[in-house]
Amino acid sequence: MKTYQHGLLTLDIQLCNTDDAHIEDIETKIKKLLDCKKTKRFPAIQRGCKIDRYIPTTDNRLVEYDFTETVYEENSPYQNIKIMHSPQYGNVLILDDDPNLAESDLAYTRAITGNGREDYKDKEVLILGGGDGGILNEVLKENPKYITMLEIDQLVIDGAIKHLRGICADSMDKLEGENYIVRVEDCVPALETYVKENKQFDFVINDLTAIPVSTEPRGSQWDFLRLILDFSMKVLKPTGKYYTQGNGANAKNALAMYEEQLKKLTDPVDFKKETVCVPSYLEQWVFYEIWKKQT
């Protein structure tokens, strides 16, 4: 118990294996004992459970998910990979404790591919990351000329094929088809090779990582972001489009710093952004559409 000068009193109660009715009874007795004018009871935080349901948002608000089981977990050389089951959102991919995509989140995949504004028919498409298979599955429906997908982590692909069918369907059952290939490798050397060979694409879709949340655009994450941006512009056709996720709509400083980086690219670009509600994120999410300025 802790009291404050302006009359506030906070009371933390730790209980094991109790039900809501018991907690409500305790609350009623406390109200009567202290003759409170106003009270508020917060939901119990569950500690030490086999399933961790708590994940903060980008602006550090605590979210409790309704996860009921861990359907897949592996540690790859690159990251911890979990797929959790949620009655609301279906199976949810979580990488290093960061929610990536749920089976409910078609809004994310549609946003990062242009939300129906683009015609992918007979186009060449490069996907960076995207190991859940959602982007590949959606763009294949448009009959593109060819899709190249570069995903570094085979274990993400393996988990998606088995447990994220609501996202990838059968798109990755074979890693190569008539008009697509999934290459399990680091995208940076591949991009370097494309630049040397003057290989260009109609669309580059970057699904590697969100914009870092930091006080300044410095550090390894920002260096990687700038590297990918630079290479992507070099392999993008003059009339091409570059799509990527940004971050949560409340991460305003991070988004502003990213937009400053766009102004510093060797190839001048224009951009627009779109804010979308991604169901399992429980926050608004920003996506970018970027293209080269015509000279």
Side-chain angles (χ1 to χ4, degrees):
M1 180 185 294
K2 188 172 183 179
T3 60
Y4 299 83
Q5 289 183 348
H6 61 284
L8 174 66
L9 181 147
T10 60
L11 180 63
D12 296 331
I13 301 176
Q14 294 189 11
L15 298 169
C16 294
N17 301 321
T18 189
D19 55 30
D20 285 344
H22 182 51
I23 295 173
E24 288 175 4
D25 181 56
I26 292 173
E27 182 181 11
T28 299
K29 290 178 179 178
I30 290 173
K31 285 181 183 179
K32 185 176 180 181
L33 177 65
L34 299 178
D35 191 25
C36 301
K37 294 182 179 179
K38 182 180 179 181
T39 65
K40 183 175 182 64
R41 174 166 58 91
F42 294 96
I45 293 178
Q46 301 177 43
R47 298 175 173 89
C49 298
K50 291 182 179 179
I51 297 174
D52 182 5
R53 297 183 175 89
Y54 298 99
I55 299 175
T57 60
T58 54
D59 55 346
N60 211 31
R61 291 174 291 109
L62 188 62
V63 171
E64 181 178 359
Y65 283 86
D66 60 344
F67 298 144
T68 57
E69 64 175 315
T70 304
V71 298
Y72 178 85
E73 182 168 14
E74 295 287 346
N75 288 301
S76 78
Y78 311 103
Q79 57 204 336
N80 172 261
I81 306 156
K82 284 194 286 284
I83 298 177
M84 309 297 294
H85 180 69
S86 158
Q88 289 188 88
Y89 307 119
N91 287 348
V92 184
L93 175 65
I94 300 175
L95 301 178
D96 285 338
D97 294 325
D98 180 31
N100 272 237
L101 201 67
E103 291 180 303
S104 63
D105 295 344
L106 181 60
Y108 177 103
T109 305
R110 289 189 58 81
I112 204 170
T113 55
N115 251 334
R117 297 186 297 273
E118 305 295 353
D119 180 8
Y120 288 93
K121 182 177 174 58
D122 298 325
K123 299 297 195 302
E124 291 190 85
V125 182
L126 177 64
I127 302 172
L128 306 177
D132 53 70
I135 296 170
L136 177 66
N137 183 48
E138 287 303 308
V139 178
L140 279 173
K141 297 174 184 178
E142 302 286 329
N143 297 314
K145 180 180 179 181
Y146 203 80
I147 300 174
T148 302
M149 175 174 147
L150 304 173
E151 166 60 49
I152 198 171
D153 203 332
Q154 180 69 57
L155 290 179
V156 172
I157 295 172
D158 293 344
I161 290 170
K162 188 172 182 180
H163 299 291
L164 298 174
R165 304 296 284 190
I167 295 174
C168 63
D170 61 356
S171 64
M172 296 192 299
D173 288 357
K174 295 181 180 180
L175 298 187
E176 186 171 2
E178 182 180 345
N179 64 340
Y180 75 94
I181 186 170
V182 177
R183 293 168 52 182
V184 183
E185 60 184 271
D186 186 345
C187 70
V188 173
L191 286 167
E192 289 176 330
T193 300
Y194 291 148
V195 172
K196 290 176 183 177
E197 295 175 350
N198 200 31
K199 170 69 175 173
Q200 293 191 314
F201 299 85
D202 297 291
F203 293 95
V204 177
I205 302 173
N206 177 2
D207 195 32
L208 292 168
T209 184
I211 295 169
V213 176
S214 60
T215 56
E216 294 182 352
R218 297 178 182 175
S220 59
Q221 290 181 310
W222 281 99
D223 291 341
F224 180 72
L225 180 149
R226 283 186 283 262
L227 179 68
I228 296 300
L229 259 175
D230 184 57
F231 277 143
S232 295
M233 292 302 110
K234 289 176 180 176
V235 302
L236 189 67
K237 292 181 179 179
T239 57
K241 291 284 186 69
Y242 175 83
Y243 279 96
T244 188
Q245 63 166 313
N247 207 305
N250 283 342
K252 296 184 185 301
N253 290 340
L255 297 172
M257 286 189 288
Y258 178 74
E259 291 166 19
E260 285 299 314
Q261 303 308 304
L262 295 180
K263 297 176 183 178
K264 299 175 182 179
L265 290 171
T266 304
D267 294 307
V269 300
D270 278 327
F271 71 90
K272 62 182 178 181
K273 55 188 174 182
E274 179 178 20
T275 302
V276 173
C277 179
V278 180
S280 76
Y281 285 17
L282 298 175
E283 59 181 318
Q284 299 282 84
W285 209 253
V286 178
F287 295 84
Y288 284 88
E289 174 187 342
I290 301 167
W291 61 94
K292 296 178 180 178
K293 289 184 178 180
Q294 300 299 309
T295 56

